[in-house]
Amino acid sequence: MSLMLEEALSAPQRLREQWQANAATVAALGRELRAADLHGAVTVARGSSDHAAAYFAYLGMKRLGLPIASIPPSLTTLAGTPWRVSGQLALAISQSGASPDLIATQRALAAGGARTLALVNAPDAELASVSQHHLGLHAGVERSVAATKSYLATLAATAHLIATWQGDPELLRALERLPERLESAAACDWQAAVEALSGADRLLVIGRGVGLAVAQEAALKFKETCGIQAEAFSAAEVKHGPMALIEPGYPVLVLAPPGPDQAGLLDLAAWLRGVGARVLLAADASVAGRELDVSDAGHDDLQPLAVIQSFYVMAARLAVARGGDPDRPRHLQKVTRTL
């Protein structure tokens, strides 16, 4: 078993530990953020952590009505932008918390008046030390280069933060039950994707709404661990140009879990099949035409976590089926330090 697969399968237990370890701290943060009456937020992250930040941004805008934007670190490290961000939260996300560009940007945002919070997996991370508050991801040591359990831990932590910030007991109850739901997701059979993509060199990954962030993460993992040129698009954007790529047999992974975005995703999957694409449709048991099973995460806003849990297991197996090693992607290392 690859380290990637082993770590992906360990994610549900890590989320149990995170829920217990962070409950009191997140509750206090939620009260503080409500009292602060902020008028926006910015995120600072790269790679898989930036995809997790996109999930936080969509969920936060949807539930809190606050504008949330991703800040390119180069605006600080190269352009020297004089930030004016009082009344906003600056959320920095990193597994290692060691990249100089993230640290410099978080410092600059704090100097610009932002309330700063870091989500990190390494307990002694410098990124945590330059932030007013920090939350541990409690994912444990991640030895595979490809992030899996730390990404899922970040999604869960951001959902936990937003649920307490908003004061939503329904989402909090669903988060407490999420680990057992993810155990079911890890057992879903995605072998059809392994077989369909074992010889692929390109594909599209389609999501929408709160699920777009995991489509972006899936596309990165296809590139990183399987050597497949994969691009992620929203179902609402794919017809604005990317559809010109589609030809008979072109592979498209459509992630369509239950929720308000599902109907449009299913319509798009049908259209894609009609023009000859090789569609791999991931959906729940209510969708007769699915190829890949999606288990229920217990809440519409948590469905992306079940999807990416199933995807990670498949991707680790696909990498091996293609003759690769998912733990040693070419040219990559675990901690990336950019400025």
Side-chain angles (χ1 to χ4, degrees):
M1 182 185 293
S2 66
L3 289 174
M4 179 184 175
L5 180 54
E6 178 184 331
E7 289 174 353
L9 291 172
S10 74
Q13 179 57 31
R14 295 304 185 182
L15 264 60
R16 285 190 183 92
E17 295 165 5
Q18 180 194 95
W19 176 263
Q20 294 167 357
N22 285 354
T25 302
V26 175
L29 270 172
R31 290 192 295 270
E32 180 178 322
L33 292 171
R34 284 196 301 276
D37 192 24
L38 302 180
H39 57 254
V42 294
T43 62
V44 183
R46 290 202 184 276
S48 291
S49 293
D50 197 38
H51 302 152
Y55 172 82
F56 166 80
Y58 193 95
L59 197 60
M61 288 188 283
K62 172 184 171 181
R63 289 178 157 269
L64 303 170
L66 298 176
I68 301 176
S70 173
I71 295 294
S74 62
L75 284 172
T76 293
T77 60
L78 301 182
T81 300
W83 294 110
R84 294 184 296 169
V85 285
S86 61
Q88 297 190 50
L89 174 70
L91 175 66
I93 302 173
S94 174
Q95 195 280 139
S96 68
S99 188
D101 57 349
L102 304 185
I103 294 164
T105 300
Q106 189 76 329
R107 279 200 177 108
L109 291 167
R115 187 179 300 258
T116 54
L117 169 64
L119 291 183
V120 292
N121 195 36
D124 57 351
E126 187 176 355
L127 186 62
S129 70
V130 302
S131 303
Q132 291 172 291
H133 302 286
H134 72 274
L135 282 177
L137 297 178
H138 301 283
V141 176
E142 197 167 50
R143 294 177 293 162
S144 178
V145 170
T148 55
K149 59 180 180 174
S150 64
Y151 178 77
L152 277 159
T154 306
L155 296 190
T158 58
H160 192 179
L161 177 65
I162 289 169
T164 57
W165 188 348
Q166 184 187 22
D168 184 339
E170 181 184 357
L171 182 54
L172 288 169
R173 286 192 295 269
L175 279 162
E176 188 171 13
R177 297 191 299 267
L178 182 61
E180 64 190 74
R181 303 276 189 161
L182 293 189
E183 287 172 344
S184 297
C188 284
D189 182 8
W190 282 36
Q191 182 61 27
V194 175
E195 294 169 0
L197 300 174
S198 60
D201 61 1
R202 55 182 180 162
L203 81 153
L204 298 183
V205 186
I206 308 298
R208 194 173 186 192
V210 73
L212 180 58
V214 299
Q216 294 167 332
E217 171 65 5
L220 175 63
K221 286 299 183 288
F222 276 129
K223 291 190 279 276
E224 184 180 22
T225 66
C226 302
I228 300 174
Q229 179 62 49
E231 300 296 336
F233 291 98
S234 165
E237 296 291 340
V238 72
K239 289 187 178 181
H240 286 247
M243 294 305 293
L245 294 169
I246 302 299
E247 58 188 9
Y250 194 106
V252 183
L253 173 60
V254 179
L255 305 176
D261 307 304
Q262 186 182 63
L265 287 158
L266 296 181
D267 287 344
L268 178 62
W271 187 91
L272 287 163
R273 285 178 174 143
V275 297
R278 173 61 176 100
V279 174
L280 290 160
L281 176 61
D284 61 287
S286 71
V287 179
R290 72 192 186 283
E291 281 100 347
L292 310 173
D293 288 328
V294 169
S295 64
D296 182 12
H299 193 288
D300 284 353
D301 287 338
L302 300 180
Q303 301 296 1
L305 283 80
V307 170
I308 202 66
Q309 175 75 78
S310 300
F311 171 85
Y312 280 148
V313 174
M314 181 279 294
R317 291 172 175 158
L318 176 61
V320 173
R322 290 171 61 88
D325 182 347
D327 298 327
R328 295 174 179 83
R330 185 168 51 193
H331 310 312
L332 299 180
Q333 55 188 0
K334 185 62 183 173
V335 178
T336 303
R337 300 176 187 271
T338 51
L339 194 58

